[in-house]
């Protein structure tokens, strides 16, 4: 089921790039490592980067009880979560038609505090799996004190839209013959060689979920 | 000269990660391809990703005259520009101490419309050089009509702060001996092989500034 178009989520610039189906949005949400959350301090918008996770139709944020972001998010005031994946640089023959290939999602919503301990653990497991699948099964789980120090906020994903640009540059007809290279430089968030903690015991080998880590789903 | 600490820009969570000198912030701003701008629609925060550039102590945004973001930015109302570079995933022995390595900058400011045509061209050149150095010298420059259709907004960088996390995981003393791999998976936005426009003439070769493209400054 798609998102209903509203005044807020409707794509006005480049409407052909807009997508309102949940599958398209959820794929982007799940692939992106972090999101940017827009909150309000009096009349001042504040944008804070943080890691997220998704369970079904809910977006989950977590953080310290002292965090400005989490305290706003739990208040139920309107917030905006924007998720952006950069896919490439689009080089047209004219500078005017230069662009980026990207996939983004904007969610307008309100957070609610997750209070049930079991739900909180499920949320933290989702965050861990979002960061790196396999890790939850191996690392030490949160203890009572750590769980208590962590706030989890759930944001129902009801009003959202995705925006996607892909493919080659679009040049003006009269520019096509210019002697200028045109095309796309694809970009991707790539892992480099894992760096072991200097304090790591020499008998501990690199897990496969670390050596094979890729961001793309 | 550094940024004065204010109520808004002061790093409250993990204050040791905070940096208030311009050099640290500018390096992040210049390396990051895009920013996320927080604006306000009535009481609803809205976060929009866009490309930016910097000239001296000014951040520059550009876009269509019809863009919601540009129209807000030119209005002089308070906005927030957040720039985030992901550097890696930090795997601690406990899930609680998992983290990200990142560099981020948050700028609180107000935009002003750049009206002078020469200044606007200088700004567009800065955006082009931010995206990919060398391109301005080769691609077709904006003509009168294109320049007219483009708004440029300048945001003086006066109230800002950077936040940086680097290095290995920090585990609790009592977790150090757990038989769990710990360390960092470095991540970087990497270019893949350039994809020529299917309509590109066969006599046009790949420029060096495209084949050698790297994001890191």
């Amino acid at each position: 089921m798609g998102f209903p178009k509203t005044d807020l989520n409707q794509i006005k610039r480049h409407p052909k790039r807009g997508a309102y189906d949940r599958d398209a949005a959820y794929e982007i949400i799940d692939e992106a490592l972090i999101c940017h959350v827009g909150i309000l301090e009096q009349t001042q918008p504040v944008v804070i980067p943080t890691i997220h996770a998704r369970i079904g139709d809910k977006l989950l944020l977590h953080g310290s009880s002292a965090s400005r972001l989490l305290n706003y998010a739990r208040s139920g005031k309107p917030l905006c979560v924007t998720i952006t994946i950069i896919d490439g640089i689009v080089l047209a023959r004219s500078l005017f038609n230069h662009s980026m290939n990207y996939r983004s999602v904007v969610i307008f919503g309100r957070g609610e505090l997750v209070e049930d301990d079991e739900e909180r653990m499920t949320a933290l497991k989702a965050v861990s799996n979002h960061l790196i699948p396999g890790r939850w099964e191996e690392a030490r789980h949160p203890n009572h004190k750590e769980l208590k120090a962590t706030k989890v906020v759930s944001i129902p994903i009801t009003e959202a839209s995705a925006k996607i640009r892909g493919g080659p540059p679009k040049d003006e007809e009269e520019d096509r013959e210019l002697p200028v290279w045109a095309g796309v430089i694809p970009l991707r968030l790539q892992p480099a060689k894992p760096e072991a903690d200097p304090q790591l015991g020499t008998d501990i080998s690199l897990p496969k979920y670390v050596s094979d880590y890729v961001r793309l789903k």
Side-chain angles (χ1 to χ4, degrees), chain A:
Chain A
M1 208 193 66
F3 301 111
K5 281 192 200 182
T6 67
D7 273 357
L8 265 176
N9 76 344
Q10 196 161 351
I11 308 289
K12 285 154 201 141
R13 291 290 307 150
H14 300 293
K16 279 185 190 164
R17 296 182 186 169
Y20 301 90
D21 60 296
R22 286 185 184 266
D23 287 351
Y26 290 176
E27 203 174 291
I28 296 165
I29 292 170
D30 294 347
E31 180 180 331
L33 204 43
I34 63 161
C35 64
H36 283 81
V37 187
I39 65 173
L40 201 56
E41 298 225 331
Q42 280 118 36
T43 57
Q44 172 70 55
V46 179
V47 178
I48 300 174
T50 190
I51 189 170
H52 62 276
R54 182 181 65 84
I55 297 182
D57 295 332
K58 288 182 174 174
L59 192 85
L60 300 159
L61 306 179
H62 81 294
S64 151
S65 312
S67 138
R68 160 160 82 167
L69 170 58
L70 267 286
N71 280 316
Y72 181 95
R74 65 175 287 199
S75 74
K77 288 178 196 152
L79 49 76
C80 176
V81 182
T82 297
I83 288 166
T84 310
I85 298 171
I86 297 173
D87 286 328
I89 298 177
V90 181
L91 303 175
R93 290 151 184 92
S94 66
L95 287 157
F96 185 75
N97 285 309
H98 275 59
S99 189
M100 306 270 304
N101 280 340
Y102 62 90
R103 288 166 290 152
S104 68
V105 173
V106 178
I107 300 165
F108 299 102
R110 290 163 190 265
E112 49 201 48
L113 192 68
V114 178
E115 307 210 48
D116 178 73
D117 272 357
E118 202 174 313
E119 269 182 68
R120 283 146 51 72
M121 276 300 241
T122 305
L124 295 178
K125 182 177 177 181
V127 172
S128 178
N129 285 337
H130 178 84
L131 188 66
I132 176 165
R135 193 64 182 167
W136 183 263
E137 287 69 32
E138 196 172 79
R140 178 174 69 66
H141 284 196
N143 59 31
H144 181 71
K145 189 181 141 208
E146 291 168 344
L147 195 60
K148 224 182 133 172
T150 307
K151 286 243 180 307
V152 175
V153 168
S154 165
I155 302 163
I157 309 174
T158 50
E159 196 175 0
S161 57
K163 204 168 170 183
I164 297 168
R165 197 228 179 267
K170 293 204 174 88
D171 267 301
E172 313 299 327
E173 198 57 47
E174 59 266 32
D175 290 333
R176 294 261 167 80
E177 300 303 316
L178 289 177
V180 178
W181 190 89
V184 172
I185 305 177
L187 291 172
R188 185 174 293 176
L189 197 64
Q190 291 279 16
K193 196 168 171 282
E195 295 163 356
D197 182 0
Q199 300 195 34
L200 190 70
T202 49
D203 53 332
I204 298 178
S205 58
L206 190 67
K208 204 171 149 53
Y209 65 81
V210 175
S211 57
D212 292 359
Y213 187 79
V214 282
R215 194 56 223 163
L216 202 68
K217 298 290 165 189

